[in-house]
Amino acid sequence: MLVPSFGFLLNAAVSHMKCSRPSPLDTEPHILFIFSRNSSQEVLEWRESFDQLLKSKSGVNAFHTFLKTEFSEENLDFWLACEDFKKTRSKTKLASKANRIFEEFVQNEAPREVNIDHETREITRKNLSGATSACFNEAQAKTRTLMEKDSYPRFLKSASYQDMSRQAASRGTSKLSHT
């Protein structure tokens, strides 16, 4: 599990901290974010592209928390599992990891089944027979596209991200006025 259910604490430097706290009147789960010197800029960069978000460990954690509110975190978890899978060098481990990922995310009625078409599911199933680091590429790409076109825009419009973005922007502005 990437984050505790109460929210999470992102990469934070002890100095120059500012905290974002939820209002008791808010209904959307909030993300506790402690701003460090570099994190304010990072939060603002997440809206530039989905790639920027995925490059940031904090961004991935914030996006994961958001996806949990939409009951669709399996998409990101699958994408992350594929990224980890690609780093596997042992043929034996590659085959066992491939089977675990397929059983958890890809096969019909999988416990955390991702939303991919039948053809992609079948191609992925066939790829398991000779598992290589590329056997999930097509399914991973489709899942990534789905997140980028569907979940990512909603994340950027969410109250949690809007709050983080406002605070990051005001932190950047106040830093400029102090220099």
Side-chain angles (χ1 to χ4, degrees):
M1 180 178 214
L2 291 173
V3 294
S5 59
F6 63 87
F8 65 97
L9 195 59
L10 298 171
N11 300 332
V14 175
S15 61
H16 300 85
M17 289 196 257
K18 182 176 180 182
C19 218
S20 166
R21 299 202 189 275
S23 160
L25 301 175
D26 290 336
T27 56
E28 181 177 318
H30 277 268
I31 299 163
L32 177 62
F33 193 91
I34 296 180
F35 288 93
S36 70
R37 289 180 198 161
N38 297 324
S39 64
S40 293
Q41 184 60 35
E42 190 176 329
V43 168
L44 297 174
E45 288 173 355
W46 298 346
R47 65 181 166 208
E48 291 175 13
S49 73
F50 191 51
D51 285 329
Q52 286 295 116
L53 178 80
L54 293 177
K55 287 178 190 174
S56 162
K57 184 176 181 180
S58 301
V60 168
N61 285 336
F63 189 53
H64 189 269
T65 298
F66 169 75
L67 291 174
K68 285 178 86 169
T69 69
E70 296 202 330
F71 304 100
S72 62
E73 72 270 14
E74 71 280 351
N75 294 319
L76 181 59
D77 289 340
F78 171 67
W79 187 87
L80 292 168
C82 291
E83 289 298 293
D84 179 63
F85 175 76
K86 290 175 187 177
K87 297 173 189 169
T88 305
R89 296 293 166 234
S90 161
K91 277 284 198 192
T92 309
K93 286 183 181 178
L94 202 64
S96 67
K97 276 186 174 182
N99 284 320
R100 277 197 312 264
I101 292 170
F102 186 82
E103 290 169 3
E104 184 173 353
F105 296 105
V106 180
Q107 75 182 5
N108 281 326
E109 305 298 321
R112 303 180 68 210
E113 186 176 353
V114 292
N115 186 7
I116 55 174
D117 58 88
H118 175 73
E119 183 180 340
T120 304
R121 194 176 314 280
E122 279 306 301
I123 290 169
T124 306
R125 185 184 60 73
K126 289 175 184 172
N127 288 346
L128 290 181
S129 63
T132 68
S133 60
C135 69
F136 292 104
N137 283 0
E138 191 168 340
Q140 184 186 22
K142 295 219 174 176
T143 302
R144 184 194 185 287
T145 299
L146 178 67
M147 289 188 296
E148 183 175 23
K149 300 217 179 295
D150 188 42
S151 304
Y152 173 64
R154 285 197 310 277
F155 167 71
L156 294 178
K157 293 175 186 169
S158 71
S160 293
Y161 178 72
Q162 291 296 312
D163 183 45
M164 282 190 293
S165 182
R166 272 191 299 277
Q167 289 195 27
S170 69
R171 179 159 168 40
T173 303
S174 68
K175 276 174 59 175
L176 289 176
S177 65
H178 292 351
T179 54

